[in-house]
Amino acid sequence: MVMSSEPQPGEPIELIVEEAFAGHRLDVFLARKLPQYSRVHLRKVVGANAVTVDGKRGKAAYRLQGGERVAIVPPELPRKAPVPEDLPLSILYEDDWLAAIDKPPGMVVHPAKGHWKGTLTSALQFHFDRLSGAGGPTRPGIVHRLDRDTSGVLVVAKTDQAHLKLSEQFESRTVQKEYLAITVGAPDRDQDRIDLPIGIHPYQREKMAIRKDHSTSRPAMTQYEVLERFPGFGLVRVLPKS
């Protein structure tokens, strides 16, 4: 049975798994119960630890048995594809399958609450005739992302096949990421490794923070090297490993 009432974003709801859904995947069950969301979108909700099955963290591929209690925090409904905007775009590389974009600081990658215009996806929609749709309607071509205030190279997929191949490389961690960062206060070591879990920031949900034993926390390992020290600051080369 499909829910008759409209779920409110951010307000937890509970669903009872009918026997008819025994043997079905969790993401299939959610897509049937919440048809206003795409299955791809719901998989991301599950991956963000916003779904539990009988009080335990849910997984998209989990096979239901029937009778379980599934709790979910519904996200905001995804909007339609971003409107193309003629925004400056620095293209470092381009071929028939992908493009490498130099994202400036201050630009949001994809539409979100409070940022529906001026995004990188709007610029991509204007500059490219073809972009992959594997990431959903609001994220054409987007395989990975950078924070709004972070500048750096983003790889954009033009075809769904390229998108899936690139996603596999990011998931298997065969892609090497390297950042240059300025720290407040210079680290006391020339190089070291930070191996601490990160999760959603407790007060600013658009940010991440080191959080132990939290439901949103995931393992994170980063290697860093101090390139230069200044009074009160440090120039650091950062290599995220996981």
Side-chain angles (χ1 to χ4, degrees):
M1 181 179 67
V2 176
M3 290 186 60
S4 58
S5 59
E6 189 72 16
Q8 297 300 311
E11 295 184 7
I13 59 174
E14 187 176 88
L15 306 169
I16 305 299
V17 180
E18 298 98 328
E19 293 300 325
F21 286 101
H24 286 67
R25 287 169 52 113
L26 175 61
D27 56 350
V28 173
F29 169 76
L30 292 173
R32 288 285 301 276
K33 289 294 185 178
L34 304 170
Q36 59 271 63
Y37 300 102
S38 70
R39 187 172 166 186
V40 171
H41 194 67
L42 289 168
R43 279 201 204 105
K44 294 178 180 178
V45 176
V46 176
N49 301 330
V51 178
T52 61
V53 179
D54 287 338
K56 298 180 181 179
R57 176 184 171 184
K59 294 183 179 180
Y62 173 75
R63 296 284 177 177
L64 298 165
Q65 299 177 11
E68 295 102 327
R69 293 180 178 272
V70 176
I72 178 173
V73 179
E76 290 191 4
L77 282 170
R79 295 205 173 190
K80 296 181 180 179
V83 177
E85 295 182 62
D86 186 5
L87 304 172
L89 198 63
S90 177
I91 303 173
L92 303 178
Y93 173 81
E94 181 182 2
D95 58 27
D96 292 338
W97 300 277
L98 57 84
I101 309 298
D102 184 8
K103 188 194 87 68
M107 176 179 270
V108 175
V109 172
H110 52 76
K113 186 176 181 180
H115 300 285
W116 301 115
K117 294 183 178 180
T119 65
L120 178 67
T121 51
S122 292
L124 294 174
Q125 290 280 65
F126 181 88
H127 287 277
F128 295 105
D129 295 330
R130 181 178 61 167
L131 292 166
S132 76
T138 63
R139 305 187 182 194
I142 300 300
V143 181
H144 63 118
R145 59 180 293 278
L146 291 173
D147 291 339
R148 179 180 61 182
D149 296 327
T150 301
S151 61
V153 180
L154 271 176
V155 180
V156 175
K158 291 186 175 182
T159 69
D160 287 354
Q161 183 181 13
H163 190 120
L164 294 173
K165 292 294 184 182
L166 289 167
S167 295
E168 288 174 1
Q169 292 178 38
F170 278 102
E171 187 173 351
S172 62
R173 308 196 188 283
T174 57
V175 176
Q176 180 174 314
K177 301 177 184 179
E178 180 176 328
Y179 296 87
L180 287 177
I182 296 177
T183 62
V184 177
D188 56 356
R189 302 180 183 183
D190 291 337
Q191 59 182 3
D192 201 358
R193 181 176 64 188
I194 302 172
D195 189 358
L196 292 168
I198 60 172
I200 295 176
H201 194 285
Y203 311 117
Q204 303 178 56
R205 298 191 63 81
E206 71 277 7
K207 295 184 177 182
M208 305 293 284
I210 294 174
R211 303 192 72 178
K212 296 182 178 180
D213 302 321
H214 192 266
S215 61
T216 65
S217 295
R218 296 184 178 180
M221 184 184 300
T222 301
Q223 196 80 25
Y224 74 84
E225 175 187 5
V226 179
L227 300 179
E228 194 168 352
R229 288 182 171 85
F230 305 94
F233 298 92
L235 178 62
V236 180
R237 176 173 175 255
V238 182
L239 297 169
K241 299 298 182 182
S242 62

